């Protein structure tokens, strides 16, 4: 019997389902909120298109104190998570997180919206993220199209960050900055939260979760249909022989969670980086008793508050 258009072709719950007619149902991360002034943190945000070609935007955040100060602030360029499938830069979870972080750290943040799989398979997310960073950096001389970036950003103090798939993107964009220099920008460090890296050979206690390993590999293959598999350098950059050689910064903070299956890759990333000959400093922060991206679902818990403070401290320590 021929399948009907309403039948599920790929069930990637709890992220999404793909139907026979091509329709995609996102099960999480579809809610959005508008930018504006957040009364709790006094952080203001607005959306600006960075690519006319793809109609993609960034959400820019500035702390309320910035308009009364002549001092320029460090910049955080943030890539959201969601397995390359769900969430956007305009999700309430990211709005809440970045409002809190910008207020705590006294920084400017640019949250990048990128095209998502499976409609736009890998490498679309990486391509968009690089385009966004180039657009942001074009403001370094104060003559860019967006006045907040012209006025408030210290381009000598730039950081990249993201969670899960966004942390994966942040790593690869940092590598790209060492190979394709962007005029006027000094990338000081990267902050990777629960990074989505994988590989054929299990690390740590991953071997105890064969069913989970299969799910994670399936998520990656759906996002990247032409991939060579779990040792594709995009999902497993850690085992690449040149790992660390082209990381375009000198400071790395990796945040992991005790009950997250991806934590072993986070620790492995840092261990390999230390032993790679990379000339920089690396820190790890592990949240006890927590699961993957807990800080987004429980932003007021003590571990989430501690994470915000740690990231703020990390960025302010690195001021040039």
């Amino acid at each position: 019997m021929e399948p009907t258009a309403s039948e599920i072709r790929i069930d990637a719950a709890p992220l999404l389902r793909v139907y026979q007619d091509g329709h995609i149902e996102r099960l999480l991360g579809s809610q959005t909120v508008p930018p504006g002034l957040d009364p709790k943190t006094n952080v203001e945000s607005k959306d600006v298109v960075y690519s006319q070609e793809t109609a993609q935007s960034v959400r820019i955040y500035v702390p309320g104190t910035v308009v009364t100060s002549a001092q320029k602030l460090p910049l955080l360029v943030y890539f959201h998570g969601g397995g390359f499938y769900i969430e956007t830069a305009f999700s309430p979870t990211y709005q809440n997180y970045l409002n809190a972080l910008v207020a705590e750290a006294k920084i400017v943040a640019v949250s990048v919206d990128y095209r998502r799989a499976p409609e736009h398979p890998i490498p679309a997310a990486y391509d968009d993220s690089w385009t966004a960073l180039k657009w942001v950096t074009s403001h370094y001389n104060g003559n860019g199209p967006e006045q907040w970036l012209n006025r408030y950003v210290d381009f000598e103090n730039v950081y990249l960050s993201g969670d899960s798939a966004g942390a994966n993107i942040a790593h690869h964009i940092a590598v790209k900055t060492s190979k394709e220099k962007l005029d006027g920008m000094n990338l000081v460090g990267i902050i990777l939260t629960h990074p989505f890296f994988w590989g054929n050979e299990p690390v740590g206690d991953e071997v105890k979760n064969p069913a989970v390993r299969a799910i994670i590999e399936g998520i990656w293959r759906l996002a990247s249909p032409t991939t060579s598999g779990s040792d594709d350098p995009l999902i497993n950059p850690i085992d690449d022989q040149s790992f660390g050689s082209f990381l375009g910064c000198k400071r790395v903070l990796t945040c992991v969670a005790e009950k997250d299956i991806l934590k072993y890759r986070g620790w492995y990333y840092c261990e390999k980086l230390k032993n790679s000959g990379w000339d920089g400093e690396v820190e790890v922060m592990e949240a006890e008793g927590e699961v993957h991206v807990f800080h987004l679902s429980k932003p007021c818990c003590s571990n989430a508050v501690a994470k915000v403070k740690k990231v703020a401290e990390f960025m302010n320590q690195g001021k040039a």
Side-chain angles (χ1 to χ4, degrees):
M1 185 168 55
E2 289 293 321
T4 65
S6 61
E7 286 183 350
I8 296 172
R9 180 165 61 89
I10 299 171
D11 192 343
L15 299 178
L16 78 166
R17 294 190 180 99
V18 181
Y19 291 84
Q20 290 293 348
D21 63 357
H23 169 67
I24 294 166
E25 178 189 14
R26 286 185 166 83
L27 305 175
L28 294 170
S30 294
Q31 185 181 358
T32 62
V33 292
L37 180 64
D38 178 45
K40 188 191 320 189
T41 60
N42 199 30
V43 169
E44 191 168 359
S45 58
K46 65 178 173 180
D47 297 341
V48 183
V49 174
Y50 69 83
S51 172
Q52 297 294 336
E53 182 181 354
T54 62
Q56 297 299 124
S57 299
V58 293
R59 179 161 291 182
I60 307 174
Y61 298 79
V62 296
T65 55
V66 74
V67 294
T68 60
S69 172
Q71 181 182 7
K72 293 199 172 186
L73 303 177
L75 171 67
L76 180 72
V77 180
Y78 196 89
F79 308 102
H80 71 81
F84 299 101
Y85 301 109
I86 63 171
E87 301 287 3
T88 70
F90 321 117
S91 301
T93 48
Y94 291 104
Q95 180 84 351
N96 291 337
Y97 173 66
L98 288 169
N99 277 334
L101 180 58
V102 167
E104 179 69 27
K106 303 296 188 293
I107 59 172
V108 175
V110 175
S111 184
V112 176
D113 200 48
Y114 51 82
R115 290 171 295 168
R116 300 172 299 180
E119 302 100 316
H120 304 283
I122 300 297
Y126 300 105
D127 292 343
D128 289 350
S129 297
W130 180 246
T131 297
L133 182 61
K134 288 195 295 183
W135 177 84
V136 170
T137 304
S138 73
H139 295 77
Y140 79 92
N141 59 6
N143 294 320
E146 172 46 50
Q147 289 306 307
W148 279 8
L149 299 180
N150 290 333
R151 292 175 185 171
Y152 304 138
V153 171
D154 176 7
F155 284 97
E156 287 297 310
N157 283 289
V158 178
Y159 290 79
L160 305 180
S161 184
D163 62 280
S164 195
N168 176 303
I169 292 171
H171 163 82
H172 286 290
I173 296 300
V175 170
K176 197 171 178 69
T177 64
S178 74
K179 299 177 179 179
E180 300 182 33
K181 300 291 186 182
L182 296 178
D183 290 342
M185 184 197 77
N186 177 42
L187 181 62
V188 179
I190 57 175
I191 302 150
L192 308 182
T193 298
H194 312 166
F196 182 21
F197 299 128
W198 207 239
N200 284 326
E201 290 298 318
V203 171
D205 282 350
E206 286 175 3
V207 70
K208 298 179 181 178
N209 296 274
V212 174
R213 290 187 63 79
I215 291 171
I216 292 173
E217 180 172 350
I219 288 172
W220 170 246
R221 284 188 175 277
L222 180 59
S224 183
T226 61
T227 185
S228 58
S230 292
D231 279 339
D232 182 327
L234 288 175
I235 195 67
N236 183 16
I238 308 170
D239 287 332
D240 190 296
Q241 288 186 345
S242 63
F243 178 69
S245 301
F246 299 104
L247 191 60
C249 63
K250 296 296 185 183
R251 305 181 69 230
V252 173
L253 171 63
T254 300
C255 301
V256 299
E258 181 186 8
K259 295 183 178 180
D260 180 10
I261 188 66
L262 296 179
K263 82 167 185 178
Y264 304 104
R265 294 282 160 175
W267 277 104
Y268 185 49
Y269 179 96
C270 294
E271 290 164 7
K272 291 278 284 192
L273 194 56
K274 288 177 182 178
N275 297 322
S276 69
W278 173 70
D279 182 23
E281 60 179 90
V282 58
E283 298 181 56
V284 184
M285 180 186 192
E286 180 165 336
E288 294 184 6
E290 302 292 0
V291 299
H292 192 62
V293 296
F294 71 92
H295 62 292
L296 299 178
S297 58
K298 301 188 301 178
C300 296
C301 75
S302 60
N303 281 331
V305 172
K307 179 190 179 303
V308 167
K309 290 184 178 298
K310 178 62 178 178
V311 173
E313 174 188 298
F314 180 80
M315 289 189 66
N316 284 296
Q317 278 181 346
K319 285 183 179 178

